[in-house]
Amino acid sequence: KEKPQWKDFLHIDDFDKAEIMKILDWAAEVKALLKSGERGYLPFKGKSMAMIFAKPSMRTRVSFETGFFLLGGHAIYLGPHDIQMGKREETRDVARVLSRYNNVIMARVFAHQHILDLAKYASVPVINGLTDYNHPCQIMADALTMIEHVGQLEGTKVVYVGDGNNIVHSWLLLASIVPFHFVCACPKGFEPDQKTVDKAQRAGISKIEITNDPKEAVCGADVVYLDVWASMGQKEEAAHRRQVFQGFQVDEQLMKLGGPRAYFMHYLPAERGVEVTDAVIEAPNSIVFAQAENRMHAQNAIILHSVGL
Ligand code: CP
Ligand code: NVA
């Protein structure tokens, strides 16, 4: 990278606990500033950010674009048909061209290798806006939301119910640097990547459990956390997954088993009536919209950290 303090944001565990907590503190500070109506803090003035989207998005696009604008910068949306990374143009060329115009590159791609290649060849920081492997910006927003509602992240019990996917990998990578209790309850055959589970367990920081029993898993949870059953790129498997994931829908009964203090979280978009019932998402202990809002605040802090401001 052009300057030594410039950092990519690709995986949570590329950072140590102090750095992650510093970014979260920063997110809370900038959030308070923006909520106060203050518009004079413009650290991104004169800066631009290219945003590559190979997949659909609402939250990631709008939160990055609005957040960057509110802090003085200009963000450019590049949709699935604009770049066609790997098809119309090689990733290494995309990285070098965009680095000539922009101060930051944010990308949402399919193959994780694409984000690694972008980061390798870009001369500006690259931020991971989701790959098939992980979604670190989402988990930073979730951590901020937990700090605000539960009071802290350390020592809490987070129970994820559903597919052992990119969201789970990000939780596992966070658990490998910050101590909490993470449980993933998923159907047999839909467990998270074993290497990532091993890595988190080997780190010896958090209690990690992978189970096939959602009822037992949710007991004593601080947070019951959900994702869709069929991720982007798996939509043709949706019908089959609906069969296999029977028993993993989070309804009021399952939330009751969680206990009175359990918050409900879902990164959204949710498929109501599939992985979660309408009543659970609309319940007073559901903090899904706070979670969505915090995408913007967490990412503002991530970009500040990445560009060394
Ligand atoms: N949570 C999330 O990443 O939402 P989008 O897919 O709408 O960006
Ligand atoms: N697991 C989901 C997360 C979307 C934000 C997906 O990859 O589609």
Side-chain angles (χ1 to χ4, degrees):
K1 304 293 169 193
E2 270 172 29
K3 294 187 187 171
Q5 72 270 32
W6 284 5
K7 290 191 181 85
D8 300 317
F9 194 82
L10 306 182
H11 319 92
I12 301 271
D13 68 328
D14 293 339
F15 303 89
D16 60 21
K17 182 180 154 200
E19 261 176 311
I20 290 295
M21 298 317 284
K22 190 184 109 190
I23 297 172
L24 291 172
D25 284 347
W26 217 345
E29 261 177 59
V30 179
K31 176 177 180 176
L33 197 74
L34 289 176
K35 294 285 236 189
S36 76
E38 165 68 46
R39 290 294 178 269
Y41 178 55
L42 303 169
F44 302 143
K45 196 171 174 195
K47 297 198 188 302
S48 69
M49 171 170 63
M51 305 191 300
I52 302 170
F53 282 92
K55 293 177 174 175
S57 169
M58 177 170 79
R59 276 142 292 268
T60 305
R61 179 195 173 170
V62 179
S63 58
F64 265 107
E65 190 165 331
T66 307
F68 203 65
F69 161 76
L70 287 174
L71 299 189
H74 174 69
I76 302 146
Y77 171 76
L78 296 151
H81 299 293
D82 293 321
I83 296 191
Q84 301 171 43
M85 217 156 52
K87 278 192 205 144
R88 183 170 181 265
E89 196 155 5
E90 286 194 26
T91 309
R92 56 191 165 151
D93 293 347
V94 174
R96 285 176 289 183
V97 172
L98 290 178
S99 297
R100 298 279 175 138
Y101 306 131
N102 298 284
N103 305 92
V104 187
I105 299 171
M106 192 286 297
R108 164 171 286 194
V109 293
F110 284 91
H112 194 63
Q113 191 59 45
H114 281 163
I115 202 96
L116 299 178
D117 291 344
L118 274 176
K120 181 173 173 192
Y121 288 100
S123 52
V124 298
V126 172
I127 297 175
N128 179 351
L130 177 143
T131 72
D132 286 348
Y133 176 66
N134 68 344
H135 195 4
C137 291
Q138 179 67 57
I139 264 45
M140 291 296 280
D142 300 339
L144 179 62
T145 312
M146 284 180 58
I147 291 168
E148 288 172 348
H149 288 82
V150 182
Q152 77 256 344
L153 179 59
E154 286 193 29
T156 56
K157 179 174 179 183
V158 177
V159 181
Y160 173 98
V161 182
D163 182 28
N165 60 15
N166 45 5
I167 294 283
V168 178
H169 299 152
S170 284
W171 275 116
L172 287 167
L173 296 179
L174 181 66
S176 68
I177 54 167
V178 177
F180 60 100
H181 181 182
F182 180 70
V183 188
C184 169
C186 54
K188 276 201 174 66
F190 291 84
E191 287 85 3
D193 170 53
Q194 191 56 46
K195 274 194 192 144
T196 309
V197 175
D198 291 346
K199 188 179 190 181
Q201 275 170 341
R202 258 200 325 270
I205 300 287
S206 295
K207 184 171 173 190
I208 314 270
E209 291 176 282
I210 313 293
T211 164
N212 304 121
D213 183 350
K215 289 196 176 105
E216 201 189 310
V218 295
C219 291
D222 291 290
V223 163
V224 175
Y225 189 105
L226 254 68
D227 190 353
V228 291
W229 290 344
S231 286
M232 290 180 268
Q234 299 171 333
K235 295 301 174 193
E236 70 291 346
E237 294 174 29
H240 168 65
R241 283 173 177 252
R242 280 186 194 202
Q243 303 285 324
V244 179
F245 282 69
Q246 288 306 314
F248 285 81
Q249 185 189 65
V250 173
D251 56 15
E252 283 169 300
Q253 267 176 315
L254 196 69
M255 283 306 292
K256 262 198 201 113
L257 287 178
R261 67 159 196 249
Y263 284 102
F264 174 75
M265 293 178 78
H266 190 311
Y267 68 78
L268 303 180
E271 285 197 79
R272 291 170 190 242
V274 180
E275 73 272 6
V276 60
T277 60
D278 203 57
V280 167
I281 231 174
E282 296 296 344
N285 62 336
S286 162
I287 51 174
V288 297
F289 299 110
Q291 209 183 332
E293 179 189 337
N294 279 336
R295 287 294 303 276
M296 184 171 90
H297 304 299
Q299 288 155 195
N300 280 343
I302 288 166
I303 305 170
L304 284 165
H305 185 71
S306 291
V307 299
L309 286 169

